[in-house]
Every structure is written in C-alpha cells, then in structure tokens.
Amino acid sequence: MYIFSFEKLEVWIESKEFSKYIYEVTSKFPETEKFGLISQLRRASISVSSNIAEGSARRSYKDKAHFTSIAFSSAVEVLNQLIISFELNFISETDYITLREKLESITNKLNSLRNYQIDKSNEIK
C-alpha cells in the first residue's frame, strides 16, 4: 500500500491521535452539547490533520505553508473551545492539561513546518 508523504509527518500523526482523544473526551459531554461544543471541537480538531494532509498535496511551498497556517488556526480554535469546556466543567482538569500539552506540541511542530515551507518558498524565488 502506498504511503503518502503527510502520513510520515510526526505532526500529522500527533494531530490525528489528538482528534481521537478529543472524540473520547467529548463523548462524556452533556447530550445538550451534541450540536454545540462537541461538534465544534471534533470538527476543529479534525481540521488540523486534514489541512496538513491537504497542504502536502500542493505543488508550491507557498501553498503548503498556507494550509499549515490554516491547520495552526484550527489548533488555536480547539484551544479556545477547550478553555470554554473546562470553565463549564465539561472536562476534568487532568484532561484539560493533557489536551493543552498535546496541542502545544502540535502547534510547535506546525510552526516549525511552516517556517521550513516559507524558507523553501523563498529559496525558489
């Protein structure tokens, strides 16, 4: 089976695993949040890995960097929703801290990837 380039990226692997953890944590949210924070958190967390994957298929490093930026923005959106979820007591402090730490690792890697893509884009000019 062919392995696509994004599947080899540590940041994609981490963000995919992060989404699975978000699904697990949000399964404990109140049913009233089914179309609220549960849906938002799940979609935003999946957006991180999806944009990494989509960006990897782009031809130019500038386009790749654009999708990496979108992935970073989605990660920050998830952080905002986690803060609200924690303040509403939908998630435990332990889960909140774990998720923040995982998100910090992902955003650090996204920053590094974007910087690399921008540098490569500037080299080509």
Side-chain angles (χ1 to χ4, degrees):
M1 179 179 349
Y2 180 78
I3 305 294
F4 286 86
S5 62
F6 72 88
E7 294 177 278
K8 300 171 191 171
L9 291 173
E10 194 174 310
V11 69
W12 178 81
I13 294 165
E14 279 187 37
S15 62
K16 177 182 59 80
E17 292 304 313
F18 179 82
S19 292
K20 289 163 47 177
Y21 192 42
I22 287 288
Y23 267 76
E24 181 183 318
V25 169
T26 57
S27 70
K28 302 170 194 155
F29 278 33
E31 182 66 26
T32 56
E33 287 303 316
K34 184 176 185 178
F35 301 108
L37 279 170
I38 294 171
S39 175
Q40 290 282 45
L41 270 164
R42 289 177 176 184
R43 287 186 301 148
S45 69
I46 289 172
S47 178
V48 177
S49 59
S50 295
N51 277 292
I52 294 166
E54 186 172 354
S56 74
R58 298 300 169 141
R59 295 185 81 105
S60 75
Y61 281 102
K62 184 178 177 183
D63 280 348
K64 291 175 189 296
H66 174 72
F67 279 90
T68 303
S69 293
I70 294 170
F72 184 91
S73 297
S74 292
V76 173
E77 179 182 354
V78 170
L79 176 58
N80 174 66
Q81 294 161 358
L82 287 173
I83 292 167
I84 293 168
S85 297
F86 177 65
E87 290 178 358
L88 290 171
N89 296 313
F90 292 164
I91 57 176
S92 69
E93 185 172 6
T94 303
D95 282 336
Y96 175 69
I97 291 168
T98 299
L99 287 163
R100 278 199 76 128
E101 288 171 349
K102 290 178 183 295
L103 208 48
E104 183 178 352
S105 175
I106 290 166
T107 55
N108 286 342
K109 286 177 177 69
L110 287 170
N111 268 331
S112 295
L113 179 59
R114 185 177 182 280
N115 288 339
Y116 169 80
Q117 292 163 333
I118 293 296
D119 289 346
K120 285 302 232 180
S121 175
N122 290 335
E123 283 178 16
I124 295 171
K125 289 181 181 177

